[in-house]
Amino acid sequence: MAKPITGKTHIGERREKRANGDIYIYERVTAYDEKAKKTYTVSQKLKGKIKQGTQEVVVTRPKKNKGEGGIADATRQHTGLTDILEWVGKASGIDDDVRASFSEGDAAKILSIARYWIGSGGNTLPRLESWQVMHPLPYREAISEDVYGKLFKDVGRNEEGVQCYFSARAARLAESPVLAFDSTTVSTYSENQSEARQGFNKDGDGLNTIKLLTLYSVKAREPIAFTKQPGNIPD
C-alpha cells in the first residue's frame, strides 16, 4: 500500500564533499509534489563542515541578510568651507571663548570676519559684504565698512574683553605647555597709527610698520598673548 500524501515537509541532512576533501553539511527541507509525483527541495541551509582528516563538525557563520549589519538610516549631506570653520570654532572652544569675552553682537562680528579672512585667503574687508551673500556667517546682517570700523574701534578700547579672551584660551592649554615667542612687523599705509614708524621693516617694502610680539602655544598652534611696539624698535 502506498504511503499517504500529507503535504508536510521533511527536514533532512545532505553532505557534499568538496575537491579539497572538506565535507559540507546542509540542512535540507523537502516536500512531495503530488502532480509531478516526486520529491523536491523547498530550502537548503549550510550548517557546518568537516575539515579533511577530522571528524569534528565546525559550525559555519550564517550569511548576513541584505542590509544587515550596515549603517541604518544613512544620509548624504553636502558641506562647505563655512561648515568646516563652524565646526572648528565649536570643537576648539574659540567660539565659546569669544562669546564669553565680548557682547553677543561684537562676538558674532568678530567670528564672521575671522571666517571671512580664512575662507577668502585674507581678502580686504570691503569685499566682505558681497562675500556674505553666498556664505552664511554668525552675524546675519551686512558687515559694511561702518560696521567693521566701529567694531575695531570698540574692541581696541575693550582691554578687559581682550584679556578675558586670551585668559580663556590659556586656561584650555595642557599642564606645563611649551610656548614660543614670535616677533614680526606689520606694514601699514595709515598715518593715524601711533605705533607706525620708519626704520625697521622685515618685509622691506619701505612702509611704516608696527611691531607685533606674540606668545604662542606650540602644541595648540595659536596665540595666547600679544603686545604692540613702535615699528622702529629692532629685535
Side-chain angles (χ1 to χ4, degrees), residues 2 103 120 154 168 201 228:
S103 66
S120 67
D154 292 343
N201 188 319
K228 294 185 295 180

Side-chain angles (χ1 to χ4, degrees), residues 69-130:
I71 300 175
D73 299 327
T75 58
R76 183 184 295 272
Q77 180 178 348
H78 294 280
T79 190
L81 178 63
T82 51
D83 296 320
I84 296 172
L85 293 176
E86 181 180 0
W87 175 82
V88 170
K90 290 179 180 179
S92 65
I94 289 177
D95 283 12
D96 290 338
D97 291 342
V98 171
R99 290 192 170 98
S101 305
F102 301 95
S103 66
E104 182 58 34
D106 284 353
K109 294 171 190 173
I110 291 170
L111 294 173
S112 297
I113 291 173
R115 292 176 188 180
Y116 163 71
W117 271 332
I118 295 173
S120 67
N123 275 349
T124 57
L125 285 176
R127 300 181 181 180
L128 170 56
E129 195 171 354
S130 59

Side-chain angles (χ1 to χ4, degrees), residues 171-192:
R172 293 180 182 271
L173 299 179
E175 188 176 350
S176 300
V178 178
L179 303 179
F181 181 78
D182 179 72
S183 168
T184 190
T185 56
V186 180
S187 300
T188 178
Y189 287 97
S190 174
E191 298 179 356
N192 300 319

